[in-house]
């Protein structure tokens, strides 16, 4: 079983938080978390450590959302940039 799937309950929790309290920052955090998850699920998955890093980053950014939106936004953006950078390097190398 892919370890990336451990992030799914937290992603659904993020959607529930958006229905409870809709803010632009919260919407951006949840959108970036879902985009990171989908990109890593579809194109990544070569290493267990990469899956664990994305799952941990996505879940922590969603869990931080009710506590401090700015930190959650920075973390979600950072994890998204890391995943995108890894995918760009992967496809430029032709692997």
């Amino acid at each position: 079983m892919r370890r990336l799937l451990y992030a799914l309950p937290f992603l659904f929790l993020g959607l529930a938080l958006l229905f409870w309290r809709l803010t632009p920052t919260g919407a951006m955090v949840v959108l970036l978390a879902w985009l990171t998850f989908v990109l890593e699920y579809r194109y990544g998955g070569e290493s267990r450590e990469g899956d664990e890093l994305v799952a941990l980053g996505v879940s922590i950014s969603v869990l931080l959302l009710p506590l401090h939106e700015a930190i959650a936004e920075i973390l979600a953006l950072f994890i998204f940039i890391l995943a995108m950078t890894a995918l760009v390097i992967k496809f430029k190398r032709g692997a």
Side-chain angles (χ1 to χ4, degrees):
M1 175 180 237
R2 294 183 65 169
R3 301 214 179 220
L4 183 63
L5 296 177
Y6 292 147
L8 273 177
F10 298 102
L11 291 170
F12 289 123
L13 177 70
L15 286 176
L17 283 172
L18 279 183
F19 282 118
W20 177 49
R21 187 181 60 183
L22 181 62
T23 60
T25 306
M28 186 170 157
V29 168
V30 173
L31 177 69
L32 283 173
W34 273 102
L35 282 174
T36 305
F37 174 80
V38 169
L39 284 173
E40 187 67 26
Y41 185 78
R42 174 66 180 96
Y43 299 109
E46 293 175 350
S47 68
R48 222 172 78 189
E49 292 83 13
D51 284 351
E52 290 173 357
L53 175 68
V54 169
L56 185 68
V58 164
S59 60
I60 288 178
S61 65
V62 170
L63 286 176
L64 281 176
L65 190 57
L67 300 175
H68 201 284
E69 288 183 344
I71 294 175
E73 184 179 13
I74 290 169
L75 181 63
L77 186 63
F78 180 70
I79 294 296
F80 180 74
I81 290 171
L82 274 178
M84 284 298 295
T85 304
L87 290 174
V88 166
I89 290 171
K90 174 184 166 184
F91 287 123
K92 284 215 178 205
R93 295 173 93 196

